[in-house]
Amino acid sequence: MQTDLFDSHVHSFRSFDAKDSAEALCEAAIRAGLAGISITDHCDVGRYKLDDWRERLRDSCFDAELARKRYAGRLTVTTGIELGQPLEEPSAANEALRANRFDFILASVHNIRGYEDFYFLDYRKLDVEKLLERYFEELYEMTQWGRFDVLAHLTYPLRYIARAGLPQPDLGRYEERFRAIFLMLAQKGMGLEVNTSGLRQAAKASFPGLRELKLFRACGGEIVTLGSDAHEAKVVGSHIRDGVKLLREAGFGYQAFYRNRTPMMIKLL
């Protein structure tokens, strides 16, 4: 069994859009030959903040701590969070981070200001290039804010653009925006996620892809995590091995896995 594979982005039923328990995720991770997982349940603030978000987050942390103890010696389990669009409501975001102990904080933008989640948009009626420009601007602003460890699924909208049957946009036009984000991440000692969910979906690509990973490396980026973004147990660890290959191709020698807000650098075998 391989022991160098870590999935740093999985969701339990404490997330509004997932269905399986922390225990089910752990059992699936062991079957997949993983060394560890981080349970990163959603905490979206702003327009998508749920009424019971505090309870969900508290229970997610409790479940992860129980799993950490139960699976000790068989699987490393850490307590995480996926903090969505924190700048839409910084007070709630800061409360979430103060009220709980996390090993790992992922930050993401699922919707830009004034728009629905990218999941719901009708891309045939939108100027996709302008939409992406605004999205990357908000990622830059969030990176400036900086109260997180790793930036999640950089090119997230491509997941739904592909699902709509539209051609993938040329990301080369956003290179300078990427460069600004990557330089800031590197300067702050923060990381970038390779989200492998697109490899099992219509996009057939990771978020981000090889070109962006090479640019992150060129900007001094060293910390990269791998995440399946699993919302059900059966896809925990999905395409993580492909993510490892992608990191090697981009010139990275390590993947990161966080404990106590500190990246553990795991050599790519």
Side-chain angles (χ1 to χ4, degrees):
M1 178 182 294
Q2 287 182 266
T3 59
D4 61 327
L5 297 171
F6 291 80
D7 188 342
S8 294
H9 189 164
V10 303
H11 295 276
S12 79
F13 71 91
R14 304 299 184 184
S15 292
F16 71 95
D17 55 353
K19 66 178 188 178
D20 290 317
S21 66
E23 181 179 355
L25 299 177
C26 291
E27 293 293 338
I30 291 170
R31 290 194 297 272
L34 300 183
I37 60 171
S38 188
I39 299 176
T40 53
D41 280 316
H42 285 296
C43 180
D44 286 281
V45 299
R47 70 186 300 166
Y48 287 104
K49 185 176 68 176
L50 300 175
D51 291 340
D52 62 346
W53 69 272
R54 293 178 180 86
E55 292 80 7
R56 284 176 178 268
L57 198 54
R58 179 200 63 206
D59 291 345
S60 174
C61 293
F62 181 77
D63 293 347
E65 287 296 333
L66 283 182
R68 183 202 305 269
K69 296 173 183 177
R70 177 170 183 175
Y71 289 92
R74 291 189 289 160
L75 182 75
T76 298
V77 182
T78 63
T79 303
I81 180 176
E82 183 180 0
L83 186 62
Q85 47 285 340
L87 296 187
E88 283 198 9
E89 196 175 348
S91 61
N94 290 331
E95 180 185 345
L97 297 182
R98 285 194 307 269
N100 301 278
R101 190 206 69 79
F102 298 107
D103 288 296
F104 180 47
I105 301 172
L106 270 176
S108 58
V109 171
H110 296 120
N111 67 279
I112 59 175
R113 297 180 186 95
Y115 283 76
E116 295 289 327
D117 190 301
F118 287 104
Y119 178 92
F120 298 109
L121 298 181
D122 184 349
Y123 294 94
R124 297 182 186 277
K125 297 180 179 179
L126 294 169
D127 185 327
V128 171
E129 290 183 353
K130 289 183 179 179
L131 187 77
L132 288 174
E133 182 62 40
R134 286 192 55 186
Y135 169 66
F136 295 131
E137 286 176 3
E138 291 196 18
L139 289 184
Y140 180 78
E141 292 172 10
M142 187 174 71
T143 304
Q144 284 183 307
W145 176 72
R147 294 199 63 194
F148 61 93
D149 300 313
V150 169
L151 178 63
H153 47 54
L154 173 75
T155 50
Y156 171 75
L158 301 190
R159 180 190 291 177
Y160 303 113
I161 293 171
R163 188 187 64 180
L166 297 177
Q168 293 292 282
D170 176 15
L171 295 182
R173 66 181 288 123
Y174 308 104
E175 182 172 328
E176 289 311 306
R177 180 59 72 188
F178 290 149
R179 189 183 304 276
I181 293 170
F182 294 160
L183 285 170
M184 191 180 301
L185 288 173
Q187 289 164 3
K188 291 186 174 186
M190 297 158 67
L192 183 69
E193 176 191 58
V194 175
N195 187 295
T196 63
S197 64
L199 293 169
R200 63 178 184 270
Q201 298 168 344
K204 302 304 178 188
S206 63
F207 309 131
L210 180 61
R211 180 169 58 180
E212 293 76 44
L213 284 171
K214 287 182 175 179
L215 180 59
F216 180 55
R217 178 94 172 133
C219 289
E222 297 180 350
I223 299 172
V224 186
T225 62
L226 296 169
S228 67
D229 207 347
H231 284 66
E232 51 187 335
K234 68 181 181 181
V235 293
V236 169
S238 174
H239 291 283
I240 293 296
R241 290 171 177 81
D242 293 317
V244 169
K245 293 176 183 177
L246 195 63
L247 289 185
R248 289 199 198 98
E249 190 174 353
F252 291 93
Y254 297 83
Q255 67 164 300
F257 184 76
Y258 278 74
R259 291 180 178 173
N260 297 318
R261 303 290 308 284
T262 301
M264 308 288 105
M265 303 303 282
I266 312 298
K267 189 174 180 61
L268 299 176
L269 302 180

